[in-house]
Amino acid sequence: MTATDTPLPSPDVDLDDPSLYLSRELTWLAFNRRVLHEAEDPRTPLLERVKFLAIVSSNLDEFYMKRIGGLKQQIAAGIHTAGLDGRTPAQQLKECQTAVRVFQGDLRRIHVELMRELDAYDIRISLYQDLPADARERLREHFRANIFPMLTPLAMDPAHPFPFISNLALNLLVTLRYPSGTEVYMARVKVPVHKDVSKRLIAVDGSRTFVTLEDLIINNLDMLFPGMEFVSCALFRVTRNAIVEPDVEAANDLLEMIESELRERHFAPIVRLEVDPGMEATHRGMLAAELGLNESEDVIEVEGMFAKRDLFELAAIEIPELHDKPHRPVDHPLLAKDRRNIFHIIRESGPILLQHPYQPFSTSVERFLRTAAEDPKVLAIKMTLYRTSAGAILDSLIQAARNGKQVAVLVELKARFDEAANIQWARRLEAEGIHVNYGVIGLKTHSKLIFIVRRDYSQLRRYYHIGTGNYHPGTAKLYTDLGMLGCDEEIGQDLTELFNYLTGYSPPPSYRKILAAPYNLKRALIDKINREIEHHKRDNNGVIQMKMNALEDPDITRALYKASRAGVQIDLIVRDTCRFRPGIPGLSERARVVSIVGRFLEHARILYFRNGGDEEYYIGSADMMRRNLESRVEVHAPVENPELRQELRLILDVQFADSRSAWEMDANGNYTQRTPEDDSKKGTQETLISVAEKRLAAAAKHKEKKIRSRLLSHFQWRLREKNQA
């Protein structure tokens, strides 16, 4: 049984009934099916469809590394108890493996369809043997000069141990013999797909015809094994568990512990073996046995192209008509033409709500930090770094330290798959004399905070940026995120105490305005949900709206069910994992769950409570997942400025009214994409691109407040019309 055919519970069911809660793993796979739909949708430009196919392939690799790996660990540890959804780890594993096999069939089918359509534009991945002789000769010379020196064939026989197989690397299993001989030998050849060696797809004579690197190697194996006869050659790939649990309590040095964890992950247990369908059964069984896998459950035949995530290379071909219209972020209206010190703008104009990627990261967040580094009145800078990259953020922190400012940076070393990069950044910052801290033992620091202490006139004033996304200029162009620049005194005091905890020891007993995990965020959210129930009993107009990436925490889900059963309107925008089931008669029949899938990855978090008319809005870093609420340092901050609230209201209304890129969940956990009245309807993200452009144009004509109010009224009217229909 899957998330999409779970029977409906009765209306008077106990809120602990497992049938109320959808599977975390299966709803995550359902999200990727929605992403995969973008690869099928003819309304999506062709090379963007290729991109979505590559995204899904990459996501499935990560699913095996994290979720399947985690389930296998639980089973190995002897955990047989059922989870929130009533499934044991073994049941979850079986259902996930079944779902993924079906999923991969869809990937293969869509890949074939896309390649057929690309052929009309002379874009193709060809077989080496199908190329003209002169093209093959030039590729062979390319192989001789650039690939052959990097290949290391490893014999596999009683005299040679079975070689180490790297995670997600492509490998060739080659069997061969001497001429006129009968004994067959076996060797493994790693396909060196690496930025310093070769791309996966190699252009033929600079054209849009490509051959895969493994195909090029297969057809030139005679250079690698001169004088030998080839019996067979088959491709395979392994996926290793990404979850390695270090002994935190025994660690003397967190940096050394994470470096050790990275080394252990390199040798982590294998959770999946992918093989060519044509691989001989004995070879397949040998690989499964050597890798410690169950052949019937853990070995997957891959028809067609392995590792379709490498189709990103194809999606990068520059043909404008086959891509989305280029998106050029527009500056925030308050920052666009005002070249004054950004701290003066914040102090005089009030808080500023930033919306990425509709507004540039460089002219807002990077400007904020760069100004802090250069401003002689700035005394101290404190910041959390979960994911970042080389560039303006690190450069500004280093410049600030060189300018004599006190700089303290909390680098989260345990950011999954970014550990190595974060170790590198931490060491670079330490070398510049910056105080680098690695957070609180046992907790990941996932909050997105910049905290500035500046001497304004005769007093110290605290400025801050509180965000929903990482301080990474690359993802700021691809993810939809929010950030707030401000200098509210009470929020500043809260952040002072939070950073003192992160770099020191004891947490503050309470906060004035912010909600921070793991201290008061979860309890505060449940209290606010219960408060909404009480307001609804009196006023009959309770409303809770939440936008997030995932809803997994059982206590929050249970509280939302309780509120929905009491009559509170529950509106959820959940990107991927969602345990909550809307539409259950007598329980959640008025609740809505919407998922937005578009050209950008939805990543912002917004919380709204009607609160009897005294409305509350929050933005922050935490999803409604147990790990975020109980074992991470997260921050949600109130948005109190009326104009900023209007901007958040506009975002929520646009997304709930979306009829192009929104998917609506039913009571069984199935999603249906909304169908617009006509193809000219814009999706959420295209609408918000247009809103950002109009706001900037209006600001230039001193009509900023008027345009914001008109846009809000328009979308509220559309939402009412839709609800009445």
mmCIF file with all atom_site columns, all heavy atoms in Angstrom, residues 155-177:
data_model
loop_
_atom_site.group_PDB
_atom_site.id
_atom_site.type_symbol
_atom_site.label_atom_id
_atom_site.label_alt_id
_atom_site.label_comp_id
_atom_site.label_asym_id
_atom_site.label_entity_id
_atom_site.label_seq_id
_atom_site.pdbx_PDB_ins_code
_atom_site.Cartn_x
_atom_site.Cartn_y
_atom_site.Cartn_z
_atom_site.occupancy
_atom_site.B_iso_or_equiv
_atom_site.pdbx_formal_charge
_atom_site.auth_seq_id
_atom_site.auth_comp_id
_atom_site.auth_asym_id
_atom_site.auth_atom_id
_atom_site.pdbx_PDB_model_num
ATOM 1   N N   . ALA A 1 155 ? 42.614 -5.329  -12.405 1.00 0.00 ? 155 ALA A N   1
ATOM 2   C CA  . ALA A 1 155 ? 42.294 -6.740  -12.590 1.00 0.00 ? 155 ALA A CA  1
ATOM 3   C C   . ALA A 1 155 ? 41.488 -7.260  -11.403 1.00 0.00 ? 155 ALA A C   1
ATOM 4   O O   . ALA A 1 155 ? 41.649 -6.807  -10.266 1.00 0.00 ? 155 ALA A O   1
ATOM 5   C CB  . ALA A 1 155 ? 43.573 -7.545  -12.749 1.00 0.00 ? 155 ALA A CB  1
ATOM 6   N N   . MET A 1 156 ? 40.609 -8.217  -11.687 1.00 0.00 ? 156 MET A N   1
ATOM 7   C CA  . MET A 1 156 ? 39.770 -8.816  -10.646 1.00 0.00 ? 156 MET A CA  1
ATOM 8   C C   . MET A 1 156 ? 39.916 -10.331 -10.746 1.00 0.00 ? 156 MET A C   1
ATOM 9   O O   . MET A 1 156 ? 39.283 -10.977 -11.587 1.00 0.00 ? 156 MET A O   1
ATOM 10  C CB  . MET A 1 156 ? 38.310 -8.387  -10.841 1.00 0.00 ? 156 MET A CB  1
ATOM 11  C CG  . MET A 1 156 ? 38.108 -6.884  -10.700 1.00 0.00 ? 156 MET A CG  1
ATOM 12  S SD  . MET A 1 156 ? 36.496 -6.296  -11.346 1.00 0.00 ? 156 MET A SD  1
ATOM 13  C CE  . MET A 1 156 ? 35.355 -7.204  -10.345 1.00 0.00 ? 156 MET A CE  1
ATOM 14  N N   . ASP A 1 157 ? 40.778 -10.882 -9.903  1.00 0.00 ? 157 ASP A N   1
ATOM 15  C CA  . ASP A 1 157 ? 41.013 -12.322 -9.884  1.00 0.00 ? 157 ASP A CA  1
ATOM 16  C C   . ASP A 1 157 ? 41.552 -12.686 -8.511  1.00 0.00 ? 157 ASP A C   1
ATOM 17  O O   . ASP A 1 157 ? 41.746 -11.806 -7.660  1.00 0.00 ? 157 ASP A O   1
ATOM 18  C CB  . ASP A 1 157 ? 41.985 -12.716 -11.008 1.00 0.00 ? 157 ASP A CB  1
ATOM 19  C CG  . ASP A 1 157 ? 43.329 -11.995 -10.928 1.00 0.00 ? 157 ASP A CG  1
ATOM 20  O OD1 . ASP A 1 157 ? 43.860 -11.832 -9.816  1.00 0.00 ? 157 ASP A OD1 1
ATOM 21  O OD2 . ASP A 1 157 ? 43.855 -11.585 -11.984 1.00 0.00 ? 157 ASP A OD2 1
ATOM 22  N N   . PRO A 1 158 ? 41.814 -13.959 -8.234  1.00 0.00 ? 158 PRO A N   1
ATOM 23  C CA  . PRO A 1 158 ? 42.277 -14.353 -6.900  1.00 0.00 ? 158 PRO A CA  1
ATOM 24  C C   . PRO A 1 158 ? 43.552 -13.647 -6.454  1.00 0.00 ? 158 PRO A C   1
ATOM 25  O O   . PRO A 1 158 ? 43.792 -13.522 -5.243  1.00 0.00 ? 158 PRO A O   1
ATOM 26  C CB  . PRO A 1 158 ? 42.494 -15.869 -7.043  1.00 0.00 ? 158 PRO A CB  1
ATOM 27  C CG  . PRO A 1 158 ? 41.514 -16.274 -8.101  1.00 0.00 ? 158 PRO A CG  1
ATOM 28  C CD  . PRO A 1 158 ? 41.500 -15.148 -9.077  1.00 0.00 ? 158 PRO A CD  1
ATOM 29  N N   . ALA A 1 159 ? 44.362 -13.173 -7.399  1.00 0.00 ? 159 ALA A N   1
ATOM 30  C CA  . ALA A 1 159 ? 45.609 -12.497 -7.035  1.00 0.00 ? 159 ALA A CA  1
ATOM 31  C C   . ALA A 1 159 ? 45.404 -11.013 -6.762  1.00 0.00 ? 159 ALA A C   1
ATOM 32  O O   . ALA A 1 159 ? 46.321 -10.343 -6.290  1.00 0.00 ? 159 ALA A O   1
ATOM 33  C CB  . ALA A 1 159 ? 46.645 -12.681 -8.141  1.00 0.00 ? 159 ALA A CB  1
ATOM 34  N N   . HIS A 1 160 ? 44.224 -10.503 -7.119  1.00 0.00 ? 160 HIS A N   1
ATOM 35  C CA  . HIS A 1 160 ? 43.955 -9.079  -6.934  1.00 0.00 ? 160 HIS A CA  1
ATOM 36  C C   . HIS A 1 160 ? 42.658 -8.922  -6.147  1.00 0.00 ? 160 HIS A C   1
ATOM 37  O O   . HIS A 1 160 ? 41.641 -9.497  -6.523  1.00 0.00 ? 160 HIS A O   1
ATOM 38  C CB  . HIS A 1 160 ? 43.818 -8.351  -8.277  1.00 0.00 ? 160 HIS A CB  1
ATOM 39  C CG  . HIS A 1 160 ? 45.044 -8.422  -9.130  1.00 0.00 ? 160 HIS A CG  1
ATOM 40  N ND1 . HIS A 1 160 ? 45.312 -9.495  -9.962  1.00 0.00 ? 160 HIS A ND1 1
ATOM 41  C CD2 . HIS A 1 160 ? 46.063 -7.542  -9.278  1.00 0.00 ? 160 HIS A CD2 1
ATOM 42  C CE1 . HIS A 1 160 ? 46.449 -9.268  -10.595 1.00 0.00 ? 160 HIS A CE1 1
ATOM 43  N NE2 . HIS A 1 160 ? 46.926 -8.094  -10.205 1.00 0.00 ? 160 HIS A NE2 1
ATOM 44  N N   . PRO A 1 161 ? 42.659 -8.152  -5.083  1.00 0.00 ? 161 PRO A N   1
ATOM 45  C CA  . PRO A 1 161 ? 41.430 -7.966  -4.303  1.00 0.00 ? 161 PRO A CA  1
ATOM 46  C C   . PRO A 1 161 ? 40.391 -7.197  -5.109  1.00 0.00 ? 161 PRO A C   1
ATOM 47  O O   . PRO A 1 161 ? 40.720 -6.446  -6.027  1.00 0.00 ? 161 PRO A O   1
ATOM 48  C CB  . PRO A 1 161 ? 41.907 -7.157  -3.088  1.00 0.00 ? 161 PRO A CB  1
ATOM 49  C CG  . PRO A 1 161 ? 43.129 -6.435  -3.572  1.00 0.00 ? 161 PRO A CG  1
ATOM 50  C CD  . PRO A 1 161 ? 43.790 -7.370  -4.549  1.00 0.00 ? 161 PRO A CD  1
ATOM 51  N N   . PHE A 1 162 ? 39.140 -7.387  -4.734  1.00 0.00 ? 162 PHE A N   1
ATOM 52  C CA  . PHE A 1 162 ? 38.063 -6.656  -5.395  1.00 0.00 ? 162 PHE A CA  1
ATOM 53  C C   . PHE A 1 162 ? 38.291 -5.163  -5.171  1.00 0.00 ? 162 PHE A C   1
ATOM 54  O O   . PHE A 1 162 ? 38.509 -4.717  -4.049  1.00 0.00 ? 162 PHE A O   1
ATOM 55  C CB  . PHE A 1 162 ? 36.714 -7.082  -4.831  1.00 0.00 ? 162 PHE A CB  1
ATOM 56  C CG  . PHE A 1 162 ? 35.536 -6.515  -5.572  1.00 0.00 ? 162 PHE A CG  1
ATOM 57  C CD1 . PHE A 1 162 ? 35.102 -7.102  -6.753  1.00 0.00 ? 162 PHE A CD1 1
ATOM 58  C CD2 . PHE A 1 162 ? 34.871 -5.392  -5.097  1.00 0.00 ? 162 PHE A CD2 1
ATOM 59  C CE1 . PHE A 1 162 ? 34.008 -6.584  -7.448  1.00 0.00 ? 162 PHE A CE1 1
ATOM 60  C CE2 . PHE A 1 162 ? 33.785 -4.868  -5.777  1.00 0.00 ? 162 PHE A CE2 1
ATOM 61  C CZ  . PHE A 1 162 ? 33.358 -5.466  -6.966  1.00 0.00 ? 162 PHE A CZ  1
ATOM 62  N N   . PRO A 1 163 ? 38.257 -4.355  -6.221  1.00 0.00 ? 163 PRO A N   1
ATOM 63  C CA  . PRO A 1 163 ? 38.618 -2.937  -6.083  1.00 0.00 ? 163 PRO A CA  1
ATOM 64  C C   . PRO A 1 163 ? 37.562 -2.134  -5.327  1.00 0.00 ? 163 PRO A C   1
ATOM 65  O O   . PRO A 1 163 ? 36.392 -2.509  -5.276  1.00 0.00 ? 163 PRO A O   1
ATOM 66  C CB  . PRO A 1 163 ? 38.724 -2.465  -7.538  1.00 0.00 ? 163 PRO A CB  1
ATOM 67  C CG  . PRO A 1 163 ? 37.802 -3.371  -8.288  1.00 0.00 ? 163 PRO A CG  1
ATOM 68  C CD  . PRO A 1 163 ? 37.911 -4.709  -7.612  1.00 0.00 ? 163 PRO A CD  1
ATOM 69  N N   . PHE A 1 164 ? 38.011 -1.017  -4.772  1.00 0.00 ? 164 PHE A N   1
ATOM 70  C CA  . PHE A 1 164 ? 37.078 -0.100  -4.129  1.00 0.00 ? 164 PHE A CA  1
ATOM 71  C C   . PHE A 1 164 ? 36.250 0.597   -5.210  1.00 0.00 ? 164 PHE A C   1
ATOM 72  O O   . PHE A 1 164 ? 36.778 1.043   -6.232  1.00 0.00 ? 164 PHE A O   1
ATOM 73  C CB  . PHE A 1 164 ? 37.835 0.952   -3.307  1.00 0.00 ? 164 PHE A CB  1
ATOM 74  C CG  . PHE A 1 164 ? 36.945 2.029   -2.756  1.00 0.00 ? 164 PHE A CG  1
ATOM 75  C CD1 . PHE A 1 164 ? 36.159 1.787   -1.644  1.00 0.00 ? 164 PHE A CD1 1
ATOM 76  C CD2 . PHE A 1 164 ? 36.885 3.273   -3.368  1.00 0.00 ? 164 PHE A CD2 1
ATOM 77  C CE1 . PHE A 1 164 ? 35.322 2.773   -1.141  1.00 0.00 ? 164 PHE A CE1 1
ATOM 78  C CE2 . PHE A 1 164 ? 36.058 4.265   -2.869  1.00 0.00 ? 164 PHE A CE2 1
ATOM 79  C CZ  . PHE A 1 164 ? 35.276 4.015   -1.752  1.00 0.00 ? 164 PHE A CZ  1
ATOM 80  N N   . ILE A 1 165 ? 34.936 0.697   -4.990  1.00 0.00 ? 165 ILE A N   1
ATOM 81  C CA  . ILE A 1 165 ? 34.040 1.327   -5.956  1.00 0.00 ? 165 ILE A CA  1
ATOM 82  C C   . ILE A 1 165 ? 33.504 2.625   -5.351  1.00 0.00 ? 165 ILE A C   1
ATOM 83  O O   . ILE A 1 165 ? 32.835 2.604   -4.319  1.00 0.00 ? 165 ILE A O   1
ATOM 84  C CB  . ILE A 1 165 ? 32.861 0.403   -6.332  1.00 0.00 ? 165 ILE A CB  1
ATOM 85  C CG1 . ILE A 1 165 ? 33.375 -0.991  -6.740  1.00 0.00 ? 165 ILE A CG1 1
ATOM 86  C CG2 . ILE A 1 165 ? 32.034 1.036   -7.439  1.00 0.00 ? 165 ILE A CG2 1
ATOM 87  C CD1 . ILE A 1 165 ? 34.235 -1.002  -7.975  1.00 0.00 ? 165 ILE A CD1 1
ATOM 88  N N   . SER A 1 166 ? 33.789 3.735   -5.992  1.00 0.00 ? 166 SER A N   1
ATOM 89  C CA  . SER A 1 166 ? 33.378 5.044   -5.486  1.00 0.00 ? 166 SER A CA  1
ATOM 90  C C   . SER A 1 166 ? 31.878 5.257   -5.637  1.00 0.00 ? 166 SER A C   1
ATOM 91  O O   . SER A 1 166 ? 31.249 4.739   -6.564  1.00 0.00 ? 166 SER A O   1
ATOM 92  C CB  . SER A 1 166 ? 34.113 6.162   -6.237  1.00 0.00 ? 166 SER A CB  1
ATOM 93  O OG  . SER A 1 166 ? 35.509 6.022   -6.121  1.00 0.00 ? 166 SER A OG  1
ATOM 94  N N   . ASN A 1 167 ? 31.338 6.076   -4.730  1.00 0.00 ? 167 ASN A N   1
ATOM 95  C CA  . ASN A 1 167 ? 29.919 6.404   -4.765  1.00 0.00 ? 167 ASN A CA  1
ATOM 96  C C   . ASN A 1 167 ? 29.548 7.136   -6.047  1.00 0.00 ? 167 ASN A C   1
ATOM 97  O O   . ASN A 1 167 ? 30.200 8.116   -6.434  1.00 0.00 ? 167 ASN A O   1
ATOM 98  C CB  . ASN A 1 167 ? 29.573 7.278   -3.552  1.00 0.00 ? 167 ASN A CB  1
ATOM 99  C CG  . ASN A 1 167 ? 28.103 7.606   -3.469  1.00 0.00 ? 167 ASN A CG  1
ATOM 100 O OD1 . ASN A 1 167 ? 27.264 6.742   -3.645  1.00 0.00 ? 167 ASN A OD1 1
ATOM 101 N ND2 . ASN A 1 167 ? 27.791 8.872   -3.194  1.00 0.00 ? 167 ASN A ND2 1
ATOM 102 N N   . LEU A 1 168 ? 28.517 6.626   -6.742  1.00 0.00 ? 168 LEU A N   1
ATOM 103 C CA  . LEU A 1 168 ? 27.922 7.225   -7.932  1.00 0.00 ? 168 LEU A CA  1
ATOM 104 C C   . LEU A 1 168 ? 28.860 7.314   -9.132  1.00 0.00 ? 168 LEU A C   1
ATOM 105 O O   . LEU A 1 168 ? 28.529 7.952   -10.132 1.00 0.00 ? 168 LEU A O   1
ATOM 106 C CB  . LEU A 1 168 ? 27.363 8.622   -7.616  1.00 0.00 ? 168 LEU A CB  1
ATOM 107 C CG  . LEU A 1 168 ? 26.259 8.688   -6.552  1.00 0.00 ? 168 LEU A CG  1
ATOM 108 C CD1 . LEU A 1 168 ? 25.795 10.127  -6.368  1.00 0.00 ? 168 LEU A CD1 1
ATOM 109 C CD2 . LEU A 1 168 ? 25.082 7.791   -6.903  1.00 0.00 ? 168 LEU A CD2 1
ATOM 110 N N   . ALA A 1 169 ? 30.014 6.680   -9.046  1.00 0.00 ? 169 ALA A N   1
ATOM 111 C CA  . ALA A 1 169 ? 30.928 6.672   -10.196 1.00 0.00 ? 169 ALA A CA  1
ATOM 112 C C   . ALA A 1 169 ? 30.465 5.622   -11.210 1.00 0.00 ? 169 ALA A C   1
ATOM 113 O O   . ALA A 1 169 ? 29.959 4.560   -10.846 1.00 0.00 ? 169 ALA A O   1
ATOM 114 C CB  . ALA A 1 169 ? 32.353 6.364   -9.742  1.00 0.00 ? 169 ALA A CB  1
ATOM 115 N N   . LEU A 1 170 ? 30.647 5.914   -12.485 1.00 0.00 ? 170 LEU A N   1
ATOM 116 C CA  . LEU A 1 170 ? 30.356 4.949   -13.540 1.00 0.00 ? 170 LEU A CA  1
ATOM 117 C C   . LEU A 1 170 ? 31.548 4.022   -13.705 1.00 0.00 ? 170 LEU A C   1
ATOM 118 O O   . LEU A 1 170 ? 32.703 4.461   -13.659 1.00 0.00 ? 170 LEU A O   1
ATOM 119 C CB  . LEU A 1 170 ? 30.079 5.674   -14.855 1.00 0.00 ? 170 LEU A CB  1
ATOM 120 C CG  . LEU A 1 170 ? 28.788 6.505   -14.905 1.00 0.00 ? 170 LEU A CG  1
ATOM 121 C CD1 . LEU A 1 170 ? 28.775 7.372   -16.151 1.00 0.00 ? 170 LEU A CD1 1
ATOM 122 C CD2 . LEU A 1 170 ? 27.564 5.599   -14.871 1.00 0.00 ? 170 LEU A CD2 1
ATOM 123 N N   . ASN A 1 171 ? 31.259 2.749   -13.894 1.00 0.00 ? 171 ASN A N   1
ATOM 124 C CA  . ASN A 1 171 ? 32.315 1.745   -14.009 1.00 0.00 ? 171 ASN A CA  1
ATOM 125 C C   . ASN A 1 171 ? 32.004 0.787   -15.148 1.00 0.00 ? 171 ASN A C   1
ATOM 126 O O   . ASN A 1 171 ? 30.843 0.475   -15.420 1.00 0.00 ? 171 ASN A O   1
ATOM 127 C CB  . ASN A 1 171 ? 32.425 0.926   -12.717 1.00 0.00 ? 171 ASN A CB  1
ATOM 128 C CG  . ASN A 1 171 ? 32.631 1.795   -11.494 1.00 0.00 ? 171 ASN A CG  1
ATOM 129 O OD1 . ASN A 1 171 ? 33.750 2.114   -11.141 1.00 0.00 ? 171 ASN A OD1 1
ATOM 130 N ND2 . ASN A 1 171 ? 31.540 2.178   -10.836 1.00 0.00 ? 171 ASN A ND2 1
ATOM 131 N N   . LEU A 1 172 ? 33.053 0.301   -15.792 1.00 0.00 ? 172 LEU A N   1
ATOM 132 C CA  . LEU A 1 172 ? 32.924 -0.726  -16.815 1.00 0.00 ? 172 LEU A CA  1
ATOM 133 C C   . LEU A 1 172 ? 33.457 -2.041  -16.264 1.00 0.00 ? 172 LEU A C   1
ATOM 134 O O   . LEU A 1 172 ? 34.566 -2.089  -15.702 1.00 0.00 ? 172 LEU A O   1
ATOM 135 C CB  . LEU A 1 172 ? 33.709 -0.345  -18.070 1.00 0.00 ? 172 LEU A CB  1
ATOM 136 C CG  . LEU A 1 172 ? 33.229 0.903   -18.823 1.00 0.00 ? 172 LEU A CG  1
ATOM 137 C CD1 . LEU A 1 172 ? 34.203 1.255   -19.943 1.00 0.00 ? 172 LEU A CD1 1
ATOM 138 C CD2 . LEU A 1 172 ? 31.825 0.690   -19.363 1.00 0.00 ? 172 LEU A CD2 1
ATOM 139 N N   . LEU A 1 173 ? 32.663 -3.092  -16.395 1.00 0.00 ? 173 LEU A N   1
ATOM 140 C CA  . LEU A 1 173 ? 33.112 -4.437  -16.050 1.00 0.00 ? 173 LEU A CA  1
ATOM 141 C C   . LEU A 1 173 ? 33.481 -5.121  -17.367 1.00 0.00 ? 173 LEU A C   1
ATOM 142 O O   . LEU A 1 173 ? 32.609 -5.438  -18.181 1.00 0.00 ? 173 LEU A O   1
ATOM 143 C CB  . LEU A 1 173 ? 32.011 -5.203  -15.335 1.00 0.00 ? 173 LEU A CB  1
ATOM 144 C CG  . LEU A 1 173 ? 32.399 -6.597  -14.818 1.00 0.00 ? 173 LEU A CG  1
ATOM 145 C CD1 . LEU A 1 173 ? 33.461 -6.498  -13.732 1.00 0.00 ? 173 LEU A CD1 1
ATOM 146 C CD2 . LEU A 1 173 ? 31.170 -7.323  -14.289 1.00 0.00 ? 173 LEU A CD2 1
ATOM 147 N N   . VAL A 1 174 ? 34.775 -5.310  -17.569 1.00 0.00 ? 174 VAL A N   1
ATOM 148 C CA  . VAL A 1 174 ? 35.281 -5.816  -18.850 1.00 0.00 ? 174 VAL A CA  1
ATOM 149 C C   . VAL A 1 174 ? 35.769 -7.255  -18.661 1.00 0.00 ? 174 VAL A C   1
ATOM 150 O O   . VAL A 1 174 ? 36.528 -7.545  -17.723 1.00 0.00 ? 174 VAL A O   1
ATOM 151 C CB  . VAL A 1 174 ? 36.441 -4.936  -19.369 1.00 0.00 ? 174 VAL A CB  1
ATOM 152 C CG1 . VAL A 1 174 ? 36.916 -5.418  -20.732 1.00 0.00 ? 174 VAL A CG1 1
ATOM 153 C CG2 . VAL A 1 174 ? 36.023 -3.473  -19.427 1.00 0.00 ? 174 VAL A CG2 1
ATOM 154 N N   . THR A 1 175 ? 35.324 -8.161  -19.527 1.00 0.00 ? 175 THR A N   1
ATOM 155 C CA  . THR A 1 175 ? 35.868 -9.523  -19.541 1.00 0.00 ? 175 THR A CA  1
ATOM 156 C C   . THR A 1 175 ? 36.606 -9.704  -20.866 1.00 0.00 ? 175 THR A C   1
ATOM 157 O O   . THR A 1 175 ? 36.135 -9.273  -21.929 1.00 0.00 ? 175 THR A O   1
ATOM 158 C CB  . THR A 1 175 ? 34.757 -10.576 -19.410 1.00 0.00 ? 175 THR A CB  1
ATOM 159 O OG1 . THR A 1 175 ? 33.802 -10.414 -20.449 1.00 0.00 ? 175 THR A OG1 1
ATOM 160 C CG2 . THR A 1 175 ? 34.055 -10.454 -18.065 1.00 0.00 ? 175 THR A CG2 1
ATOM 161 N N   . LEU A 1 176 ? 37.766 -10.343 -20.792 1.00 0.00 ? 176 LEU A N   1
ATOM 162 C CA  . LEU A 1 176 ? 38.628 -10.455 -21.964 1.00 0.00 ? 176 LEU A CA  1
ATOM 163 C C   . LEU A 1 176 ? 39.499 -11.701 -21.848 1.00 0.00 ? 176 LEU A C   1
ATOM 164 O O   . LEU A 1 176 ? 39.574 -12.333 -20.795 1.00 0.00 ? 176 LEU A O   1
ATOM 165 C CB  . LEU A 1 176 ? 39.475 -9.200  -22.101 1.00 0.00 ? 176 LEU A CB  1
ATOM 166 C CG  . LEU A 1 176 ? 40.439 -8.790  -20.964 1.00 0.00 ? 176 LEU A CG  1
ATOM 167 C CD1 . LEU A 1 176 ? 41.376 -7.690  -21.461 1.00 0.00 ? 176 LEU A CD1 1
ATOM 168 C CD2 . LEU A 1 176 ? 39.724 -8.260  -19.724 1.00 0.00 ? 176 LEU A CD2 1
ATOM 169 N N   . ARG A 1 177 ? 40.154 -12.058 -22.951 1.00 0.00 ? 177 ARG A N   1
ATOM 170 C CA  . ARG A 1 177 ? 41.045 -13.218 -22.966 1.00 0.00 ? 177 ARG A CA  1
ATOM 171 C C   . ARG A 1 177 ? 42.149 -12.979 -23.981 1.00 0.00 ? 177 ARG A C   1
ATOM 172 O O   . ARG A 1 177 ? 42.049 -12.106 -24.856 1.00 0.00 ? 177 ARG A O   1
ATOM 173 C CB  . ARG A 1 177 ? 40.264 -14.478 -23.314 1.00 0.00 ? 177 ARG A CB  1
ATOM 174 C CG  . ARG A 1 177 ? 39.622 -14.469 -24.684 1.00 0.00 ? 177 ARG A CG  1
ATOM 175 C CD  . ARG A 1 177 ? 38.774 -15.692 -24.914 1.00 0.00 ? 177 ARG A CD  1
ATOM 176 N NE  . ARG A 1 177 ? 37.969 -15.566 -26.124 1.00 0.00 ? 177 ARG A NE  1
ATOM 177 C CZ  . ARG A 1 177 ? 36.717 -15.994 -26.250 1.00 0.00 ? 177 ARG A CZ  1
ATOM 178 N NH1 . ARG A 1 177 ? 36.117 -16.581 -25.215 1.00 0.00 ? 177 ARG A NH1 1
ATOM 179 N NH2 . ARG A 1 177 ? 36.061 -15.841 -27.382 1.00 0.00 ? 177 ARG A NH2 1
#
